[in-house]
Amino acid sequence: MSSEDKFEYWLIEMDHALADFLAQLPPELSDRLNYTSQSLDELEGWLMRRYANIDEMNPQEIALIVDGAARYIGESFRRVLGGRWFIDSSDEDNAYHGLPQLGGCRNQTSQICPLKMVTAAVGRRTGNFSRTILENHL
């Protein structure tokens, strides 16, 4: 299966994957995740409490959490900024090669890769990394 085919399947599964991700979260968190910029801080805070550093995010058993968080962040961006999901498999030197990204967002001047935002948020530990990026686009 090509990377483009895998990406298409990933997109088709978006609603189901997000529902599964939200169902895994504690209700006191999932009840506050409403795809707003403020809800990004809620998710980021939970991720920072759960993972002390980026290395803890790599094991296979948490892949669904990282993927779900990336999907949630990306969909939050899309709801506020517009845009669409895409994947670029043409430039192997690109840091986001083969990863889902957002394009065509309002005021977008750089690449947006929600998966990398999840790991950066845990690594930087500001509690507002994703929201800051979103608000900078506004």
Side-chain angles (χ1 to χ4, degrees):
M1 182 181 293
S2 73
S3 59
E4 287 80 13
D5 289 340
K6 290 177 186 175
F7 174 67
E8 287 301 319
Y9 179 76
W10 186 87
L11 276 179
I12 290 168
E13 289 294 310
M14 182 66 72
D15 292 340
H16 180 73
L18 279 168
D20 285 351
F21 171 67
L22 294 172
Q24 293 179 67
L25 300 176
E28 60 274 8
L29 172 61
S30 62
D31 290 346
R32 292 191 307 265
L33 296 183
N34 57 5
Y35 299 97
T36 62
S37 59
Q38 295 79 18
S39 72
L40 295 173
D41 289 351
E42 298 284 343
L43 177 59
E44 204 165 304
W46 178 79
L47 288 167
M48 290 184 336
R49 288 187 299 277
R50 187 171 173 116
Y51 305 109
N53 56 56
I54 294 170
D55 293 335
E56 290 185 10
M57 299 185 79
N58 290 327
Q60 184 68 27
E61 64 267 15
I62 62 161
L64 293 177
I65 298 244
V66 174
D67 179 69
R71 287 173 185 267
Y72 179 82
I73 290 169
E75 285 299 297
S76 297
F77 271 59
R78 279 186 359 93
R79 290 177 187 209
V80 175
L81 301 174
R84 62 175 177 70
W85 288 101
F86 76 97
I87 191 168
D88 181 4
S89 300
S90 64
D91 182 2
E92 292 183 13
D93 293 331
N94 185 319
Y96 306 132
H97 174 263
L99 297 176
Q101 300 176 58
L102 293 173
C105 297
R106 184 174 350 144
N107 300 322
Q108 185 173 356
T109 59
S110 61
Q111 292 177 285
I112 299 173
C113 181
L115 182 65
K116 294 293 186 177
M117 290 174 70
V118 172
T119 56
V122 171
R124 293 178 187 208
R125 308 196 75 70
T126 64
N128 63 1
F129 179 75
S130 301
R131 178 177 51 85
T132 300
I133 293 171
L134 177 64
E135 290 177 351
N136 284 341
H137 282 84
L138 296 172

